[in-house]
Coordinates of all heavy atoms in Angstrom, one line a residue:
M302 N -20.0 -43.6 162.1 CA -20.0 -43.8 163.5 C -18.6 -44.2 164.0 O -18.4 -43.7 165.1 CB -20.9 -45.0 163.8 CG -21.2 -45.2 165.1 SD -22.1 -43.9 165.9 CE -22.4 -44.5 167.4
K303 N -17.9 -45.0 163.3 CA -16.6 -45.4 163.7 C -15.7 -44.1 163.8 O -14.9 -44.0 164.7 CB -16.0 -46.4 162.6 CG -14.8 -47.1 163.2 CD -14.4 -48.0 162.2 CE -13.8 -49.3 162.8 NZ -13.4 -50.4 161.7
R304 N -15.9 -43.2 162.9 CA -15.1 -42.0 162.8 C -15.2 -41.2 164.2 O -14.5 -40.7 164.8 CB -15.4 -41.1 161.7 CG -14.5 -39.9 161.7 CD -14.9 -39.1 160.4 NE -14.1 -37.9 160.4 CZ -14.7 -36.7 160.0 NH1 -15.9 -36.7 159.6 NH2 -13.9 -35.6 160.2
N305 N -16.7 -41.1 164.5 CA -17.0 -40.4 165.8 C -16.3 -40.9 167.0 O -15.8 -40.2 167.9 CB -18.4 -40.3 165.9 CG -19.2 -39.5 164.9 OD1 -18.6 -38.9 164.2 ND2 -20.5 -39.7 164.8
L306 N -16.2 -42.3 167.0 CA -15.6 -43.0 168.1 C -14.1 -42.6 168.3 O -13.6 -42.4 169.2 CB -16.0 -44.4 168.0 CG -15.4 -45.4 169.2 CD1 -15.9 -44.9 170.7 CD2 -15.7 -46.7 169.0
I307 N -13.5 -42.6 167.1 CA -12.2 -42.5 167.1 C -11.9 -40.9 167.5 O -10.8 -40.7 168.2 CB -11.6 -42.6 165.6 CG1 -11.6 -44.2 165.3 CG2 -10.2 -42.2 165.5 CD1 -11.3 -44.5 163.8
I308 N -12.6 -40.1 167.0 CA -12.3 -38.7 167.4 C -12.6 -38.4 168.8 O -11.8 -37.8 169.5 CB -13.4 -37.7 166.5 CG1 -13.0 -37.7 165.0 CG2 -13.3 -36.4 167.1 CD1 -13.9 -37.1 164.1
A309 N -13.6 -38.9 169.4 CA -13.9 -38.9 170.9 C -12.8 -39.6 171.6 O -12.4 -39.1 172.6 CB -15.2 -39.5 171.1
T310 N -12.2 -40.7 171.2 CA -11.3 -41.3 171.9 C -9.9 -40.6 171.9 O -9.3 -40.4 172.9 CB -11.0 -42.7 171.2 OG1 -12.2 -43.5 171.3 CG2 -9.8 -43.5 172.0
V311 N -9.6 -39.9 170.7 CA -8.4 -39.1 170.7 C -8.4 -37.9 171.5 O -7.5 -37.6 172.3 CB -8.0 -38.8 169.3 CG1 -7.0 -37.7 169.0 CG2 -7.7 -40.0 168.5
A312 N -9.7 -37.3 171.5 CA -9.9 -36.1 172.4 C -9.7 -36.4 173.8 O -9.0 -35.7 174.6 CB -11.2 -35.4 172.0
A313 N -10.4 -37.5 174.3 CA -10.3 -37.9 175.6 C -8.9 -38.3 176.0 O -8.4 -37.9 177.2 CB -11.2 -39.1 175.8
A314 N -8.2 -38.9 175.1 CA -6.7 -39.3 175.6 C -5.9 -38.0 175.6 O -5.1 -38.0 176.6 CB -6.2 -40.2 174.4
A315 N -6.1 -37.1 174.7 CA -5.3 -35.7 174.8 C -5.5 -35.1 176.2 O -4.7 -34.5 176.8 CB -5.7 -35.0 173.6
L316 N -6.8 -35.0 176.5 CA -7.3 -34.4 177.8 C -6.7 -35.1 178.9 O -6.1 -34.5 180.0 CB -8.7 -34.2 178.0 CG -9.3 -33.2 177.0 CD1 -10.8 -33.2 176.9 CD2 -8.9 -31.8 177.4
L317 N -6.8 -36.4 179.0 CA -6.3 -37.1 180.2 C -4.7 -37.2 180.3 O -4.2 -37.4 181.4 CB -6.8 -38.6 180.0 CG -8.3 -38.8 180.2 CD1 -8.7 -40.2 180.0 CD2 -8.7 -38.4 181.6
T318 N -4.0 -37.0 179.2 CA -2.6 -36.9 179.3 C -2.0 -35.6 179.6 O -0.8 -35.3 179.5 CB -2.1 -37.5 178.1 OG1 -2.3 -36.8 176.9 CG2 -2.3 -39.0 177.8
G319 N -3.0 -34.6 179.9 CA -2.4 -33.3 180.1 C -2.2 -32.5 179.0 O -1.5 -31.3 179.2
G320 N -2.9 -32.6 177.9 CA -2.7 -31.8 176.7 C -3.1 -30.4 177.0 O -2.5 -29.4 176.4
T321 N -4.1 -30.1 177.7 CA -4.6 -28.8 178.1 C -3.5 -28.1 178.8 O -3.3 -27.0 178.4 CB -5.9 -28.9 178.9 OG1 -6.8 -29.6 178.2 CG2 -6.5 -27.5 179.1
A322 N -2.9 -28.6 179.8 CA -2.0 -28.0 180.7 C -0.8 -27.6 179.8 O -0.1 -26.4 180.0 CB -1.5 -28.8 181.8
A323 N -0.4 -28.4 178.8 CA 0.8 -28.1 178.0 C 0.6 -27.0 177.0 O 1.4 -26.4 176.5 CB 1.1 -29.4 177.2
A324 N -0.7 -26.8 176.8 CA -1.0 -25.6 175.9 C -0.9 -24.3 176.4 O -0.9 -23.3 175.6 CB -2.6 -25.8 175.5
F325 N -0.7 -24.2 177.7 CA -0.6 -22.7 178.3 C 0.9 -22.4 178.5 O 1.6 -23.2 179.1 CB -1.2 -22.7 179.7 CG -2.7 -22.8 179.5 CD1 -3.3 -23.9 179.8 CD2 -3.5 -21.8 178.9 CE1 -4.8 -24.2 179.6 CE2 -4.9 -22.0 178.8 CZ -5.4 -23.2 179.2
A326 N 1.3 -21.3 177.8 CA 2.8 -20.9 177.9 C 2.9 -20.0 179.2 O 1.8 -19.6 179.7 CB 3.0 -20.1 176.8
T327 N 4.0 -19.6 179.6 CA 4.2 -18.8 180.6 C 4.1 -17.3 180.3 O 4.1 -16.5 181.1 CB 5.5 -19.0 181.4 OG1 6.5 -18.9 180.4 CG2 5.5 -20.5 182.0
A328 N 4.2 -17.0 179.0 CA 4.2 -15.5 178.5 C 3.2 -15.6 177.3 O 3.1 -16.6 176.6 CB 5.5 -15.0 178.3
S329 N 2.7 -14.4 176.9 CA 2.1 -14.2 175.7 C 2.7 -14.3 174.6 O 4.0 -14.2 174.7 CB 1.1 -12.9 175.8 OG 1.9 -11.9 175.7
Q330 N 2.3 -14.4 173.4 CA 3.1 -14.5 172.1 C 4.0 -13.3 171.9 O 5.1 -13.5 171.4 CB 2.2 -14.7 170.9 CG 1.6 -16.2 171.0 CD 0.5 -16.2 169.8 OE1 0.3 -15.3 169.1 NE2 0.2 -17.4 169.5
D331 N 3.5 -12.1 172.3 CA 4.5 -11.1 172.1 C 5.3 -10.7 173.2 O 6.0 -9.6 173.4 CB 3.5 -9.8 171.8 CG 2.4 -9.5 172.8 OD1 2.6 -10.1 173.8 OD2 1.6 -8.7 172.5
G332 N 5.2 -11.5 174.3 CA 6.2 -11.4 175.4 C 5.7 -10.4 176.5 O 6.5 -10.0 177.3
D333 N 4.4 -9.9 176.3 CA 4.0 -9.0 177.4 C 3.7 -9.5 178.7 O 4.5 -10.0 179.4 CB 2.8 -8.2 176.8 CG 3.1 -7.2 175.7 OD1 4.3 -6.9 175.6 OD2 2.3 -7.0 174.8
A334 N 2.4 -9.7 179.0 CA 2.0 -10.1 180.3 C 1.8 -11.7 180.3 O 1.6 -12.3 179.2 CB 0.6 -9.6 180.5
P335 N 2.0 -12.3 181.4 CA 1.9 -13.8 181.6 C 0.4 -14.2 181.2 O -0.5 -13.6 181.3 CB 2.1 -14.1 183.0 CG 2.8 -12.8 183.5 CD 2.4 -11.7 182.7
V336 N 0.3 -15.4 180.6 CA -0.9 -15.9 180.2 C -1.5 -16.6 181.3 O -0.9 -17.5 182.1 CB -0.9 -16.9 179.1 CG1 -2.2 -17.7 178.7 CG2 -0.4 -16.2 177.8
K337 N -2.8 -16.4 181.8 CA -3.4 -17.0 182.9 C -4.3 -18.2 182.4 O -5.0 -18.1 181.5 CB -4.2 -16.0 183.6 CG -3.5 -15.0 184.4 CD -4.3 -14.1 185.2 CE -5.6 -14.5 185.7 NZ -6.4 -13.5 186.3
A338 N -4.4 -19.3 183.0 CA -5.3 -20.4 182.7 C -6.6 -20.0 183.0 O -6.9 -19.2 183.8 CB -4.9 -21.6 183.7
P339 N -7.6 -20.5 182.2 CA -9.0 -20.1 182.3 C -9.6 -20.7 183.6 O -9.1 -21.7 184.1 CB -9.7 -20.6 181.0 CG -8.8 -21.8 180.7 CD -7.3 -21.3 181.1
E340 N -10.6 -20.1 184.1 CA -11.3 -20.7 185.3 C -12.0 -22.0 184.9 O -12.2 -22.9 185.7 CB -12.2 -19.6 185.9 CG -11.6 -18.3 186.3 CD -12.4 -17.3 186.8 OE1 -13.6 -17.6 187.3 OE2 -12.2 -16.1 186.7
V341 N -12.6 -22.0 183.8 CA -13.2 -23.3 183.3 C -12.2 -24.0 182.5 O -11.6 -23.6 181.4 CB -14.4 -22.8 182.4 CG1 -15.0 -24.0 181.8 CG2 -15.4 -22.1 183.2
T342 N -12.1 -25.3 182.9 CA -11.1 -26.2 182.2 C -11.7 -26.7 180.9 O -12.8 -26.6 180.6 CB -10.8 -27.4 183.1 OG1 -11.9 -28.2 183.3 CG2 -10.3 -26.9 184.4
A343 N -10.7 -27.4 180.2 CA -11.2 -27.9 178.8 C -12.3 -29.0 179.1 O -13.4 -29.1 178.4 CB -10.0 -28.5 178.0
R344 N -12.1 -29.8 180.2 CA -13.1 -30.9 180.5 C -14.4 -30.2 180.7 O -15.4 -30.8 180.4 CB -12.5 -31.7 181.7 CG -13.4 -32.6 182.3 CD -14.2 -33.7 181.4 NE -13.1 -34.6 180.8 CZ -13.3 -35.3 179.7 NH1 -14.5 -35.2 179.2 NH2 -12.5 -36.1 179.2
Q345 N -14.5 -29.2 181.6 CA -15.7 -28.6 182.0 C -16.3 -28.0 180.7 O -17.6 -28.0 180.5 CB -15.5 -27.3 183.0 CG -15.2 -28.0 184.4 CD -14.6 -26.9 185.3 OE1 -13.8 -26.0 184.8 NE2 -15.0 -27.0 186.5
A346 N -15.7 -27.4 179.7 CA -16.1 -27.0 178.5 C -16.8 -28.0 177.5 O -17.8 -27.9 177.0 CB -15.0 -26.2 177.7
L347 N -16.0 -29.2 177.6 CA -16.6 -30.3 176.9 C -17.8 -30.8 177.4 O -18.8 -31.2 176.7 CB -15.5 -31.5 176.9 CG -14.3 -31.2 176.0 CD1 -13.2 -32.3 176.1 CD2 -14.6 -31.0 174.6
D348 N -17.9 -31.0 178.8 CA -19.1 -31.4 179.4 C -20.2 -30.4 179.2 O -21.4 -31.0 179.2 CB -18.8 -31.5 180.9 CG -17.8 -32.7 181.3 OD1 -17.7 -33.6 180.5 OD2 -17.4 -32.6 182.4
A349 N -20.0 -29.3 179.0 CA -21.2 -28.1 178.8 C -21.8 -28.3 177.5 O -22.9 -28.0 177.3 CB -20.5 -26.8 178.9
V350 N -21.1 -29.0 176.5 CA -21.7 -29.0 175.2 C -21.9 -30.5 174.7 O -22.3 -30.8 173.6 CB -20.8 -28.4 174.1 CG1 -20.8 -26.9 174.5 CG2 -19.4 -28.9 174.0
A351 N -21.4 -31.6 175.6 CA -21.3 -32.9 175.2 C -22.8 -33.3 174.8 O -23.0 -34.3 173.9 CB -20.9 -33.7 176.4
S352 N -24.0 -32.9 175.3 CA -25.2 -33.3 174.9 C -25.6 -32.9 173.5 O -26.7 -33.3 172.9 CB -26.2 -33.0 175.9 OG -26.4 -31.6 175.9
H353 N -24.8 -32.0 172.9 CA -25.3 -31.4 171.7 C -24.7 -32.1 170.3 O -25.0 -31.9 169.3 CB -24.9 -29.9 171.5 CG -25.7 -29.2 172.7 ND1 -27.1 -28.9 172.6 CD2 -25.3 -28.7 173.8 CE1 -27.5 -28.3 173.7 NE2 -26.4 -28.1 174.5
G354 N -23.7 -32.9 170.7 CA -23.0 -33.6 169.6 C -21.6 -34.1 169.9 O -21.3 -34.1 171.1
T355 N -20.9 -34.6 169.0 CA -19.5 -35.2 169.2 C -18.5 -34.0 168.8 O -18.6 -33.2 167.9 CB -19.2 -36.2 168.1 OG1 -20.3 -37.2 168.3 CG2 -17.8 -36.8 168.3
V356 N -17.6 -33.8 169.8 CA -16.7 -32.8 169.8 C -15.6 -33.0 168.6 O -15.0 -34.1 168.7 CB -16.0 -32.5 171.1 CG1 -14.9 -31.5 171.0 CG2 -17.0 -32.1 172.1
L357 N -15.5 -32.2 167.8 CA -14.5 -32.3 166.6 C -13.2 -31.3 167.0 O -12.0 -31.8 166.7 CB -15.0 -31.7 165.3 CG -16.2 -32.5 164.8 CD1 -16.6 -31.9 163.5 CD2 -15.9 -34.0 164.5
S358 N -13.4 -30.3 167.6 CA -12.3 -29.5 168.0 C -12.6 -28.5 169.3 O -13.8 -28.2 169.5 CB -11.8 -28.5 166.9 OG -12.7 -27.5 166.6
L359 N -11.6 -28.2 169.9 CA -11.7 -27.3 171.2 C -10.7 -26.4 171.2 O -9.4 -26.8 171.3 CB -11.8 -28.2 172.4 CG -11.8 -27.4 173.7 CD1 -13.2 -26.9 174.0 CD2 -11.4 -28.4 174.8
D360 N -10.9 -25.1 171.2 CA -9.8 -24.1 171.3 C -10.2 -22.9 172.4 O -11.3 -22.7 172.3 CB -9.7 -23.4 169.9 CG -9.3 -24.2 168.8 OD1 -8.2 -25.0 169.0 OD2 -9.9 -24.2 167.7
L361 N -9.1 -22.6 173.0 CA -9.2 -21.5 173.8 C -9.0 -20.2 173.2 O -7.9 -19.9 172.7 CB -8.3 -21.6 175.1 CG -8.4 -20.4 176.2 CD1 -9.8 -20.5 176.8 CD2 -7.3 -20.7 177.3
E362 N -10.0 -19.3 173.1 CA -9.7 -18.0 172.5 C -9.6 -17.0 173.6 O -10.5 -16.7 174.4 CB -11.0 -17.5 171.7 CG -11.2 -18.5 170.4 CD -10.1 -18.3 169.5 OE1 -9.5 -17.3 169.4 OE2 -9.7 -19.3 168.9
D363 N -8.4 -16.5 173.8 CA -8.1 -15.4 174.7 C -7.2 -14.4 174.2 O -6.0 -14.5 174.4 CB -7.4 -16.1 176.0 CG -7.4 -15.1 177.2 OD1 -7.8 -13.9 177.1 OD2 -6.7 -15.5 178.1
D364 N -7.7 -13.6 173.4 CA -6.8 -12.6 172.7 C -6.8 -11.3 173.5 O -6.4 -10.3 172.9 CB -7.5 -12.3 171.3 CG -8.9 -11.7 171.4 OD1 -9.4 -11.6 172.6 OD2 -9.5 -11.5 170.4
G365 N -6.7 -11.4 174.8 CA -6.6 -10.2 175.7 C -7.8 -9.5 175.8 O -7.9 -8.4 176.5
G366 N -8.9 -9.9 175.3 CA -10.2 -9.2 175.5 C -10.8 -9.5 176.8 O -10.1 -10.1 177.6
A367 N -11.9 -9.0 177.1 CA -12.5 -9.0 178.4 C -13.2 -10.4 178.7 O -13.2 -10.8 179.9 CB -13.7 -8.0 178.5
K368 N -13.4 -11.2 177.6 CA -14.2 -12.5 177.8 C -13.5 -13.6 177.1 O -13.7 -13.9 176.0 CB -15.7 -12.4 177.4 CG -16.6 -11.4 178.1 CD -18.0 -11.7 177.8 CE -18.9 -11.3 178.8 NZ -20.2 -11.6 178.6
P369 N -12.5 -14.3 177.9 CA -12.0 -15.6 177.2 C -13.1 -16.6 177.1 O -14.0 -16.7 177.9 CB -10.9 -15.9 178.4 CG -11.4 -15.4 179.5 CD -12.1 -14.1 179.2
A370 N -12.9 -17.4 176.1 CA -13.9 -18.4 175.8 C -13.4 -19.6 175.1 O -12.4 -19.4 174.4 CB -15.0 -17.8 174.9
W371 N -14.0 -20.7 175.2 CA -13.6 -22.0 174.5 C -14.5 -21.9 173.3 O -15.8 -21.8 173.4 CB -14.0 -23.2 175.4 CG -13.1 -23.3 176.7 CD1 -13.4 -23.0 177.8 CD2 -11.8 -24.0 176.6 NE1 -12.3 -23.3 178.7 CE2 -11.3 -23.8 178.0 CE3 -10.9 -24.4 175.7 CZ2 -10.1 -24.4 178.4 CZ3 -9.7 -24.9 175.9 CH2 -9.3 -24.9 177.3
D372 N -13.9 -22.2 172.1 CA -14.5 -22.3 171.0 C -14.6 -24.0 170.7 O -13.6 -24.5 170.6 CB -13.9 -21.7 169.8 CG -14.0 -20.2 169.8 OD1 -15.1 -19.7 170.4 OD2 -13.2 -19.4 169.2
V373 N -15.8 -24.3 170.4 CA -16.0 -25.8 170.3 C -16.7 -26.1 168.9 O -17.8 -25.4 168.7 CB -16.8 -26.4 171.3 CG1 -16.9 -27.9 171.3 CG2 -16.3 -26.0 172.8
E374 N -16.3 -27.0 168.2 CA -16.8 -27.4 166.9 C -17.4 -28.8 167.2 O -16.8 -29.7 167.7 CB -15.9 -27.5 165.7 CG -16.6 -27.8 164.5 CD -15.7 -27.8 163.3 OE1 -14.4 -27.7 163.6 OE2 -16.1 -27.9 162.2
L375 N -18.8 -28.9 166.9 CA -19.4 -30.2 167.2 C -19.9 -30.9 165.9 O -20.2 -30.2 165.0 CB -20.7 -30.0 168.1 CG -20.4 -29.5 169.4 CD1 -21.8 -29.1 170.1 CD2 -19.6 -30.5 170.3
L376 N -20.0 -32.2 165.9 CA -20.6 -32.9 164.7 C -22.0 -33.3 165.2 O -22.1 -34.1 166.2 CB -19.9 -34.1 164.3 CG -20.4 -34.9 163.1 CD1 -20.5 -34.0 161.9 CD2 -19.6 -36.1 163.0
T377 N -23.1 -32.9 164.7 CA -24.5 -33.1 165.3 C -24.9 -34.5 164.7 O -24.2 -35.1 163.8 CB -25.5 -32.1 164.7 OG1 -25.5 -32.1 163.3 CG2 -25.1 -30.7 165.3
K378 N -25.9 -35.0 165.4 CA -26.5 -36.4 165.0 C -26.9 -36.4 163.5 O -26.8 -37.5 162.8 CB -27.6 -36.7 165.8 CG -27.2 -37.1 167.3 CD -28.3 -37.3 168.1 CE -27.9 -37.6 169.5 NZ -29.0 -37.9 170.5
D379 N -27.2 -35.3 162.9 CA -27.6 -35.2 161.6 C -26.5 -35.1 160.5 O -26.7 -34.8 159.3 CB -28.7 -34.3 161.3 CG -28.5 -32.8 161.5 OD1 -27.2 -32.6 162.0 OD2 -29.2 -31.9 161.3
G380 N -25.2 -35.1 161.0 CA -24.0 -35.0 160.3 C -23.6 -33.5 159.9 O -22.7 -33.5 159.1
R381 N -24.1 -32.6 160.5 CA -23.6 -31.2 160.3 C -22.7 -30.7 161.4 O -22.7 -31.3 162.5 CB -24.9 -30.2 160.3 CG -25.9 -30.5 159.3 CD -26.9 -29.5 159.2 NE -27.9 -29.8 158.2 CZ -27.9 -29.2 157.0 NH1 -26.9 -28.5 156.6 NH2 -28.8 -29.6 156.1
T382 N -21.8 -29.7 161.1 CA -21.1 -29.3 162.0 C -21.7 -28.0 162.6 O -22.4 -27.3 161.9 CB -19.6 -28.7 161.5 OG1 -19.8 -27.8 160.5 CG2 -18.9 -30.0 161.0
Q383 N -21.4 -27.8 163.9 CA -22.0 -26.7 164.6 C -21.0 -26.1 165.6 O -20.3 -26.8 166.3 CB -23.3 -27.2 165.4 CG -24.1 -26.1 166.0 CD -25.3 -26.6 166.7 OE1 -25.3 -27.6 167.4 NE2 -26.5 -26.0 166.4
D384 N -20.8 -24.8 165.7 CA -19.9 -24.1 166.5 C -20.6 -23.6 167.7 O -21.7 -23.0 167.7 CB -19.3 -23.0 165.6 CG -18.5 -23.3 164.6 OD1 -17.8 -24.3 164.6 OD2 -18.5 -22.6 163.6
W385 N -20.0 -23.9 168.9 CA -20.5 -23.5 170.2 C -19.4 -22.5 170.9 O -18.1 -22.7 170.6 CB -20.9 -24.6 171.0 CG -22.1 -25.2 170.6 CD1 -22.3 -26.0 169.5 CD2 -23.3 -25.2 171.4 NE1 -23.5 -26.4 169.6 CE2 -24.2 -26.0 170.7 CE3 -23.7 -24.6 172.6 CZ2 -25.6 -26.1 171.1 CZ3 -24.9 -24.8 173.0 CH2 -26.0 -25.5 172.2
T386 N -19.8 -21.7 171.7 CA -19.0 -20.9 172.5 C -19.2 -21.3 173.9 O -20.4 -21.1 174.4 CB -19.1 -19.5 172.3 OG1 -18.8 -19.1 171.0 CG2 -18.2 -18.5 173.2
V387 N -18.2 -21.6 174.8 CA -18.3 -21.8 176.2 C -17.6 -20.7 177.0 O -16.3 -20.6 176.8 CB -17.8 -23.2 176.7 CG1 -18.0 -23.4 178.2 CG2 -18.5 -24.2 175.8
D388 N -18.2 -19.9 177.8 CA -17.6 -18.9 178.6 C -16.5 -19.5 179.5 O -16.9 -20.5 180.2 CB -18.6 -18.1 179.4 CG -18.0 -16.9 180.0 OD1 -17.0 -17.0 180.8 OD2 -18.6 -15.8 179.8
A389 N -15.3 -19.1 179.3 CA -14.2 -19.6 180.1 C -14.1 -19.2 181.6 O -13.3 -19.6 182.4 CB -12.8 -19.2 179.4
R390 N -15.2 -18.5 182.0 CA -15.3 -18.0 183.4 C -16.5 -18.6 184.1 O -16.5 -19.0 185.2 CB -15.3 -16.6 183.5 CG -14.2 -15.9 183.2 CD -14.1 -14.3 183.4 NE -13.0 -13.7 183.0 CZ -12.8 -12.6 182.5 NH1 -13.9 -11.8 182.3 NH2 -11.6 -12.0 182.1
T391 N -17.6 -18.9 183.3 CA -18.7 -19.5 183.8 C -19.2 -20.7 183.4 O -20.1 -21.3 184.0 CB -20.0 -18.4 183.6 OG1 -20.2 -18.3 182.2 CG2 -19.7 -17.0 184.1
A392 N -18.6 -21.3 182.3 CA -19.0 -22.6 181.7 C -20.4 -22.4 181.0 O -20.8 -23.5 180.6 CB -18.9 -23.7 182.6
K393 N -20.9 -21.3 180.8 CA -22.2 -21.2 180.0 C -22.0 -21.4 178.6 O -21.2 -20.7 178.0 CB -22.8 -19.7 180.2 CG -24.2 -19.7 179.7 CD -24.8 -18.3 180.0 CE -26.1 -18.4 179.3 NZ -26.8 -17.0 179.4
A394 N -22.7 -22.3 178.0 CA -22.5 -22.7 176.6 C -23.6 -22.1 175.7 O -24.8 -22.0 176.2 CB -22.4 -24.2 176.4
K395 N -23.2 -21.6 174.6 CA -24.4 -21.1 173.7 C -23.8 -21.3 172.2 O -22.6 -21.3 172.0 CB -24.7 -19.7 173.8 CG -23.5 -18.6 173.7 CD -23.8 -17.3 173.9 CE -22.7 -16.4 173.5 NZ -23.0 -15.0 173.8
P396 N -24.8 -21.6 171.2 CA -24.3 -21.8 169.9 C -23.8 -20.5 169.4 O -24.2 -19.4 169.8 CB -25.6 -22.0 169.2 CG -26.7 -22.3 170.2 CD -26.3 -21.7 171.6
D397 N -22.7 -20.6 168.5 CA -22.1 -19.4 167.9 C -22.8 -19.2 166.7 O -22.6 -19.8 165.7 CB -20.6 -19.9 167.7 CG -19.8 -18.7 167.2 OD1 -20.4 -17.6 166.8 OD2 -18.6 -18.9 166.9
T398 N -23.4 -18.0 166.8 CA -24.3 -17.6 165.5 C -23.6 -16.5 164.7 O -24.0 -16.0 163.8 CB -25.6 -17.0 166.1 OG1 -25.2 -15.8 167.0 CG2 -26.5 -17.9 166.9
S399 N -22.2 -16.3 165.0 CA -21.5 -15.3 164.2 C -21.3 -15.8 162.8 O -21.1 -15.0 161.9 CB -20.1 -15.0 164.8 OG -19.4 -16.1 164.8
D400 N -21.3 -17.0 162.5 CA -21.1 -17.8 161.2 C -22.3 -18.6 161.0 O -22.2 -19.8 160.7 CB -19.8 -18.4 161.1 CG -19.6 -18.9 159.7 OD1 -20.0 -18.3 158.8 OD2 -18.6 -19.7 159.5
A401 N -23.6 -18.1 161.0 CA -24.6 -18.9 160.8 C -24.8 -19.5 159.4 O -25.7 -20.5 159.4 CB -26.0 -18.1 161.1
S402 N -24.0 -19.1 158.6 CA -24.1 -19.7 157.2 C -23.3 -21.0 157.0 O -23.3 -21.6 156.0 CB -23.5 -18.6 156.1 OG -22.2 -18.5 156.3
D403 N -22.8 -21.4 158.1 CA -22.0 -22.7 158.0 C -22.9 -23.9 158.1 O -23.6 -24.2 159.0 CB -21.0 -22.8 159.3 CG -20.2 -24.0 159.2 OD1 -20.2 -24.7 158.1 OD2 -19.7 -24.4 160.3
T404 N -23.2 -24.5 156.8 CA -24.0 -25.6 156.7 C -23.1 -26.8 156.3 O -23.7 -27.7 155.4 CB -25.2 -25.3 155.7 OG1 -24.5 -25.0 154.5 CG2 -25.9 -24.2 156.2
S405 N -22.1 -27.0 156.7 CA -21.1 -28.2 156.4 C -21.9 -29.4 156.8 O -22.5 -29.6 157.8 CB -19.9 -28.0 157.1 OG -19.0 -29.1 156.9
D406 N -21.6 -30.4 155.9 CA -22.1 -31.6 156.2 C -21.1 -32.6 156.7 O -21.3 -33.9 156.7 CB -22.7 -32.4 154.9 CG -21.7 -32.5 153.8 OD1 -20.5 -32.2 154.0 OD2 -22.0 -32.9 152.7
G407 N -20.0 -32.0 157.2 CA -18.8 -32.8 157.7 C -17.9 -33.2 156.7 O -16.8 -33.7 157.1
S408 N -18.1 -33.1 155.5 CA -17.2 -33.5 154.4 C -16.1 -32.3 154.3 O -16.4 -31.2 154.5 CB -17.9 -33.9 153.1 OG -18.4 -32.6 152.6
D409 N -15.0 -32.8 153.7 CA -13.9 -31.8 153.6 C -13.8 -31.4 152.1 O -13.1 -32.1 151.4 CB -12.5 -32.5 154.1 CG -11.4 -31.3 154.1 OD1 -11.8 -30.2 153.9 OD2 -10.3 -31.9 154.2
D410 N -14.6 -30.4 151.8 CA -14.6 -29.9 150.4 C -13.7 -28.9 150.1 O -13.6 -28.3 148.9 CB -16.1 -29.4 150.0 CG -17.1 -30.6 150.2 OD1 -16.6 -31.7 149.9 OD2 -18.3 -30.3 150.3
D411 N -13.0 -28.4 151.0 CA -12.1 -27.2 150.8 C -11.0 -27.5 149.8 O -10.4 -28.3 149.6 CB -11.4 -26.8 152.1 CG -12.5 -26.3 153.0 OD1 -13.6 -25.7 152.6 OD2 -12.3 -26.1 154.3

């Protein structure tokens, strides 16, 4: 429980201090087109999944495809990790079933 509180506190502090804005560069990695900020902010993405567990990580996936999305990893109440995808245009959240075999119990066995 203490770990969950620490993780949530660190995540909130990073968001409040502008960590999200600092993550956006003015050009893509290969120097082509400028990178655009998503329509849905990190805070909105977090709010969309907050009722499903404690947020462990949040990443913006925008590989130039048609649908940018926030990838969110949650720790559920039963101690398992669960991946969610939040559409970066609509804030619609859904469980990520692309890796349904992930049955991690939150321990770092790697």
Side-chain angles (χ1 to χ4, degrees):
M302 184 66 171
K303 193 177 215 179
R304 180 177 178 224
N305 293 348
L306 180 59
I307 292 170
I308 292 170
T310 302
V311 170
L316 289 173
L317 292 175
T318 59
T321 303
F325 296 104
T327 57
S329 66
Q330 290 178 347
D331 57 7
D333 291 339
V336 175
K337 289 176 37 180
E340 295 173 33
V341 173
T342 66
R344 167 57 59 198
Q345 291 168 320
L347 290 173
D348 290 344
V350 296
S352 64
H353 300 286
T355 302
V356 175
L357 298 177
S358 68
L359 174 72
D360 296 311
L361 179 62
E362 293 297 323
D363 187 9
D364 56 3
K368 287 192 164 189
W371 290 98
D372 288 336
V373 186
E374 182 179 10
L375 299 175
L376 181 64
T377 62
K378 291 180 182 178
D379 62 359
R381 296 183 182 271
T382 58
Q383 187 177 46
D384 295 326
W385 283 74
T386 300
V387 180
D388 188 302
R390 293 185 180 147
T391 66
K393 182 178 179 180
K395 64 180 180 177
D397 183 356
T398 57
S399 64
D400 189 17
S402 64
D403 182 16
T404 58
S405 172
D406 61 1
S408 63
D409 189 14
D410 294 335
D411 294 336

